CSV table of all heavy atoms in Angstrom, one decimal:
chain,number,residue,atom,x,y,z
B,368,ILE,N,-119.6,-123.7,128.8
B,368,ILE,CA,-120.1,-122.7,127.9
B,368,ILE,C,-119.3,-122.9,126.6
B,368,ILE,O,-120.0,-122.9,125.5
B,368,ILE,CB,-120.0,-121.3,128.4
B,368,ILE,CG1,-120.9,-121.1,129.6
B,368,ILE,CG2,-120.3,-120.3,127.4
B,368,ILE,CD1,-120.8,-119.8,130.2
B,391,MET,N,-130.0,-141.1,148.6
B,391,MET,CA,-129.0,-141.7,149.4
B,391,MET,C,-128.1,-142.6,148.5
B,391,MET,O,-127.0,-142.9,148.8
B,391,MET,CB,-129.7,-142.5,150.5
B,391,MET,CG,-130.3,-141.6,151.5
B,391,MET,SD,-129.3,-140.3,152.1
B,391,MET,CE,-128.6,-141.0,153.6
B,393,SER,N,-126.8,-142.1,145.5
B,393,SER,CA,-125.8,-141.3,144.9
B,393,SER,C,-124.8,-140.9,146.1
B,393,SER,O,-123.6,-141.1,145.8
B,393,SER,CB,-126.3,-140.0,144.3
B,393,SER,OG,-127.2,-140.3,143.4
B,464,LEU,N,-94.1,-152.2,152.2
B,464,LEU,CA,-92.9,-152.7,151.6
B,464,LEU,C,-92.4,-151.8,150.4
B,464,LEU,O,-91.1,-151.5,150.3
B,464,LEU,CB,-93.1,-154.2,151.2
B,464,LEU,CG,-91.9,-154.9,150.5
B,464,LEU,CD1,-90.8,-155.1,151.6
B,464,LEU,CD2,-92.2,-156.2,149.9
B,580,CYS,N,-87.2,-141.8,161.6
B,580,CYS,CA,-88.4,-141.0,161.2
B,580,CYS,C,-88.7,-141.1,159.7
B,580,CYS,O,-89.8,-141.4,159.4
B,580,CYS,CB,-88.2,-139.5,161.6
B,580,CYS,SG,-88.5,-139.2,163.3
B,596,GLY,N,-105.5,-149.5,147.8
B,596,GLY,CA,-105.7,-150.5,146.8
B,596,GLY,C,-106.6,-151.7,147.2
B,596,GLY,O,-107.4,-152.1,146.5
B,634,GLY,N,-108.9,-132.3,156.8
B,634,GLY,CA,-109.1,-131.6,155.6
B,634,GLY,C,-109.0,-132.6,154.4
B,634,GLY,O,-109.7,-132.5,153.4
B,638,ALA,N,-111.6,-133.0,151.5
B,638,ALA,CA,-111.2,-132.9,150.1
B,638,ALA,C,-111.5,-134.2,149.3
B,638,ALA,O,-112.0,-134.0,148.1
B,638,ALA,CB,-109.7,-132.5,150.0
Side-chain angles (χ1 to χ4, degrees):
Chain B
I368 292 174
M391 294 310 262
S393 300
L464 178 71
C580 281

